[in-house]
Amino acid sequence: MAARKSCTHMTWSEAKSKSGQFDTSQKKKKPVIQVTHGQALTAKIVRKYSAPSDYSKAELRRAKKQEEKALAVAANIAKERKEERRERERRTVCPFDVAREQMTQEAKRRQQQQIQNENESKKKDLNNLEQIAQCREMQLDEIAALDAMYTDTDEFILSLHADVDGLRAKTDEWQDQGGGNDCDESLLLSITQHPPMSFSLKLTIEDENNILNDGDLVATLLLQFVFPPLYPESSLPHISVAYFAVTDRSMQIGADKTLESLVHLEEAGLVQELGEQARQIVPLPCIYELATTWITDHIFEYCNLRTHAQLSG
């Protein structure tokens, strides 16, 4: 009874102290975590460059998904472009076919081109007018012959401004009036001031004599001719090279590559020699002889292989 009484008069703090379970005089120390200098620096960098703490985890996940989606789209675009580039590289064409097409396009352009008449003088020299009218008749005859010779091909291209039918009608009327100085003077003036006869010839010439000694070479050549008023009696035709390329029939190039002739043409020398050959033929028609015989035999004599063509050969 006495023991129970003594216990009941104990305070709560006395009881804790007596039991030894709660020692207020000794506080437990927190364990010290050892951190190296590298770990501390890493943690500092992470805090600096990481997303702000006010972004939620859901927002961060959405941002990551959008980034991944953008990267996937960019990768697909890069892949498609790479495939397109490979496809262009796989597509090849024959340089000869490209040269033929380019020559045809240039011929069409030249066909639309209007050439100024050299006979700008309006002097009423009837003898000179009659001579021009006679030359115009001969020019019409040569044009008709060339048209007949190339009738089944697209190699003869007459200028749209030449108006062959109109000039033929004038010369026929002039002949009906006697074909001399006694005819209508205005008709003679109309004949002499008619647009000049202009046309192009598309030529494909193979190096049959192997002059260049380099593969299966073929020249693609577009020559343009203009008849001056007094051709063929006392003038030579004006001759120019409108297009020229030499290619190898056996070659293939990428469709996206620019066509380059394998040779360099000495154009000035060629045109000069054509004029000399024409001088030996006139006053007879000379165009067909020049285009089908002389130039076929001699064109490659005026060609020089380019350096890269020599190396590749």
Side-chain angles (χ1 to χ4, degrees):
M1 188 71 178
R4 185 168 59 245
K5 184 178 178 181
S6 62
C7 290
T8 56
H9 288 280
M10 245 184 231
T11 65
W12 174 250
S13 61
E14 290 174 344
K16 288 192 296 182
S17 175
K18 187 176 182 179
S19 65
Q21 295 178 0
F22 301 97
D23 189 356
T24 59
S25 63
Q26 295 182 355
K27 295 183 179 181
K28 292 183 180 180
K29 295 183 178 180
K30 295 182 179 180
V32 178
I33 301 175
Q34 299 294 329
V35 179
T36 65
H37 175 72
Q39 291 173 331
L41 182 61
T42 302
K44 182 178 180 181
I45 294 174
V46 169
R47 286 195 302 272
K48 182 177 180 180
Y49 292 100
S50 61
S53 57
D54 55 350
Y55 285 111
S56 66
K57 292 182 178 180
E59 289 174 328
L60 292 175
R61 284 196 298 269
R62 284 197 298 270
K64 185 176 181 181
K65 287 182 179 179
Q66 291 176 353
E67 181 180 1
E68 292 174 349
K69 184 177 180 180
L71 290 173
V73 171
N76 288 334
I77 293 175
K79 183 179 179 180
E80 291 174 358
R81 289 178 177 175
K82 188 175 181 179
E83 289 297 326
E84 290 176 358
R85 186 165 56 252
R86 289 179 177 176
E87 182 63 23
R88 287 197 302 269
E89 293 174 353
R90 284 194 294 266
R91 292 199 305 267
T92 60
V93 294
C94 178
F96 171 70
D97 295 334
V98 177
R100 288 280 300 176
E101 177 61 24
Q102 290 181 354
M103 179 178 64
T104 299
Q105 293 303 319
E106 179 61 22
K108 290 180 179 179
R109 190 187 72 81
R110 298 271 176 154
Q111 188 180 27
Q112 302 287 339
Q113 187 178 26
Q114 186 171 6
I115 298 175
Q116 188 70 20
N117 194 334
E118 289 186 352
N119 188 38
E120 296 294 343
S121 175
K122 296 191 176 181
K123 294 180 181 179
K124 298 183 179 180
D125 184 345
L126 295 181
N127 291 328
N128 187 50
L129 295 181
E130 182 182 359
Q131 184 184 11
I132 293 175
Q134 291 172 348
C135 288
R136 285 298 178 89
E137 280 194 309
M138 289 186 282
Q139 293 174 17
L140 288 171
D141 292 339
E142 186 167 4
I143 291 292
L146 289 170
D147 189 36
M149 293 171 184
Y150 293 100
T151 187
D152 294 328
T153 71
D154 62 346
E155 297 174 356
F156 176 71
I157 305 100
L158 187 64
S159 171
L160 297 178
H161 299 280
D163 189 14
V164 173
D165 293 337
L167 180 58
R168 175 66 71 183
K170 294 175 185 177
T171 56
D172 287 346
E173 184 179 353
W174 176 60
Q175 288 295 342
D176 291 341
Q177 294 182 11
N181 294 334
D182 297 332
C183 68
D184 185 359
E185 186 176 311
S186 62
L187 179 60
L188 271 177
L189 283 172
S190 178
I191 293 174
T192 59
Q193 293 169 5
H194 190 87
M197 295 293 100
S198 173
F199 58 92
S200 299
L201 282 177
K202 295 162 55 178
L203 304 176
T204 301
I205 307 169
E206 297 186 2
D207 187 13
E208 295 179 349
N209 297 324
N210 203 23
I211 294 176
L212 296 179
N213 193 28
D214 190 89
D216 188 12
L217 299 185
V218 56
T220 306
L221 176 66
L222 180 66
L223 289 178
Q224 184 169 28
F225 300 89
V226 181
F227 289 160
L230 291 174
Y231 169 83
E233 285 192 353
S234 58
S235 295
L236 298 177
H238 296 170
I239 306 173
S240 60
V241 177
Y243 180 87
F244 176 81
V246 169
T247 55
D248 192 328
R249 284 186 184 272
S250 61
M251 287 181 60
Q252 293 286 323
I253 62 173
D256 58 337
K257 301 297 182 182
T258 301
L259 176 67
E260 183 179 2
S261 176
L262 295 177
V263 309
H264 171 72
L265 176 67
E266 297 178 10
E267 184 176 338
L270 174 64
V271 172
Q272 181 179 356
E273 187 58 33
L274 283 170
E276 291 300 322
Q277 293 298 318
R279 193 184 306 276
Q280 298 177 23
I281 301 173
V282 294
L284 298 175
C286 68
I287 303 302
Y288 187 77
E289 177 68 21
L290 292 177
T292 61
T293 304
W294 189 89
I295 202 166
T296 300
D297 294 337
H298 299 280
I299 181 64
F300 287 99
E301 296 174 6
Y302 295 85
C303 297
N304 296 316
L305 278 173
R306 297 185 185 275
T307 303
H308 65 82
Q310 293 174 349
L311 293 176
S312 63

